[in-house]
Amino acid sequence: MEDLTHLLHRAYADHAAAGRVFFASYQTPRDTRHRLSKGECWVAVNGNELLGTVTVSAPHTTPAGYPAPAGAGSFWQLAVDPSQRGTGLGHRLLALAESRITALGSTRAVIDTSARATELVDWYRRRGYTRTGTWRWDVTNYDSVVLAKDLRTAIPRDRADRARGPES
C-alpha cells in the first residue's frame, strides 16, 4: 500500500504545487486501501517498479445529487509516475479503465477532476468525455467538473486517427 500511495503522491504533486489539492496528493496508505476496496485496482509495472495505476468500478455508486448517468462505471486514481509522462501510459490506463467498465456491464463512464485543471479537462474532452455538471468533494479544495462518455459509440482513438488520415 505504501508504494502505491507514494506513486499517487508523486503523480499528483504538480497539481498540489499549482494549488489543486487532489485527495491522491495527500492520502494515507489507509485511505489508499479504502479507495481500492471500492473497485478493481490495475497497476503498470516494469520489473519491481510501479509506473502507473487506475482503479475501476462498474456500476459505480455515487452520492445523491452527483451528476452521473444511472448505471455508469467510473475510475479514479488514474496516475502515471512523472518519469513515464509522454510515453502513452496514461492513454493505455484510460483505455484499460474504459474496457473494464464495459466488461463489468456499464455502457457509460463518468469521472471528475478539478475544474481548474484545464489541461486534464481538455485531455478527457479530446477522448470523448463531455461535461455533465459539477461537484464539490469535502476532501479537495476545488470544485470538480464531472465528465461522462458513452462507451457504446466510442471509436478507439487509433481507428479514429486512421479514419481522418495523416493530413487531419
Side-chain angles (χ1 to χ4, degrees):
M1 234 18 74
E2 289 78 17
D3 289 346
L4 185 57
T5 302
H6 291 302
L7 168 67
L8 294 166
H9 291 176
R10 288 191 310 275
Y12 286 86
D14 289 350
H15 294 292
R20 301 180 297 251
V21 184
F22 285 71
F23 186 52
S25 71
Y26 72 88
Q27 70 190 40
T28 67
R30 182 178 176 180
D31 295 326
T32 302
R33 180 175 285 108
H34 175 73
R35 294 181 84 189
L36 297 181
S37 75
K38 304 295 182 191
E40 300 177 350
C41 177
W42 292 84
V43 295
V45 297
N46 183 10
N48 291 329
E49 186 179 8
L50 185 56
L51 304 177
T53 187
V54 65
T55 303
V56 180
S57 173
H60 184 66
T61 303
T62 57
Y66 186 88
S74 189
F75 59 91
W76 56 96
Q77 297 188 145
L78 175 61
V80 173
D81 186 271
S83 70
Q84 298 301 304
R85 290 184 183 148
T87 66
L89 181 55
H91 298 261
R92 292 190 303 276
L93 288 168
L94 175 61
L96 171 67
E98 291 174 351
S99 174
R100 290 302 304 146
I101 288 168
T102 300
L104 292 168
S106 291
T107 59
R108 294 185 57 96
V110 65
I111 56 100
D112 62 73
T113 192
S114 171
R116 294 184 293 167
T118 56
E119 70 284 356
L120 279 177
V121 173
D122 291 344
W123 190 80
Y124 284 114
R125 284 185 174 156
R126 287 191 306 272
R127 282 147 189 87
Y129 285 79
T130 58
R131 182 185 170 125
T132 64
T134 60
W135 190 255
R136 180 70 185 230
W137 296 105
D138 61 359
V139 294
T140 63
N141 69 340
Y142 53 77
D143 289 330
S144 293
V145 60
V146 180
L147 303 157
K149 180 178 180 178
D150 187 337
L151 300 175
R152 295 170 297 188
T153 60
I155 298 172
R157 186 170 171 81
D158 63 332
R159 282 185 29 213
D161 289 344
R162 283 195 305 261
R164 282 195 306 270
E167 306 304 315
S168 299

